Amino acid sequence: MADTFLVGIDGSAGARRALRFAGERAQASGAKLVLAFVFEWSHYDFLTPEELETRHRDRQEEIERSQREIVEPALAEVKASAPGVEAEGTVRHGHAAEALSILAEEVGAAQIFIGRRGTTKLSNLLFGSVASNLVQISPVSVTVVP
């Protein structure tokens, strides 16, 4: 059975480089790709029922938009640049590093590929980057593509 590679995508140039790199590795090894976009979304316990309904609708709209604008173009890129590679896409919400780690376990990923994004030194010190957080908490190897 072929391995599964998980690729974190966000529409950035770094994510596209990670996708191409993962596609090349998948093509060479016969691995399947799972492309995942994670948008930040937190739960609030103090909202009214009307606010919860609105948030649910907004979240569904964001999932659909993300699928259409980020995941589907990335899947088309895999099809064009890595013929024969099986690929699927998904949209998740929550903290990106945590969501990717959980998804890696769910799909049985052998490895995660993610692009390194440019952040300011201050925000990196205060919050850390998704890539560095993922490297620390991932249950599988992580390749960070510059």
Side-chain angles (χ1 to χ4, degrees), residues 3-4 18-19 27-28 39 46 50 53 71 81 88 94 97-99 104 109 112 127 136:
D3 284 330
T4 297
L19 180 59
Q27 200 169 30
F39 65 91
F46 56 85
E50 293 81 16
E53 183 178 328
V71 175
S81 66
E88 65 183 60
E98 291 173 7
I112 301 173
F127 306 112
Q136 294 178 42

Side-chain angles (χ1 to χ4, degrees), residues 61-96:
E61 289 172 2
E62 181 64 22
I63 289 170
E64 291 168 9
R65 185 194 66 75
S66 300
Q67 183 73 30
R68 185 177 58 252
E69 296 179 9
I70 296 173
V71 175
E72 289 174 9
L75 287 169
E77 186 173 334
V78 169
K79 186 176 181 179
S81 66
V85 172
E86 181 184 350
E88 65 183 60
T90 187
V91 177
R92 298 290 176 101
H93 59 88
H95 182 273

Side-chain angles (χ1 to χ4, degrees), residues 2 5-7 10 14-15 26 42 44 53 58 63 66 77 83 90 93 104-105 112 116 118 132 138-140:
F5 296 155
L6 176 60
V7 185
D10 63 3
S42 60
Y44 295 100
E53 183 178 328
D58 291 346
I63 289 170
S66 300
E77 186 173 334
T90 187
H93 59 88
E105 290 181 328
I112 301 173
R116 178 177 50 98
S132 65
S138 175
V140 298

Side-chain angles (χ1 to χ4, degrees), residues 103-126:
L103 183 58
E105 290 181 328
E106 288 175 8
V107 301
Q111 188 170 2
I112 301 173
F113 294 83
I114 189 167
R116 178 177 50 98
R117 291 185 51 162
T119 59
T120 66
K121 290 181 183 178
L122 178 60
S123 68
N124 209 13
L125 285 173
L126 293 175

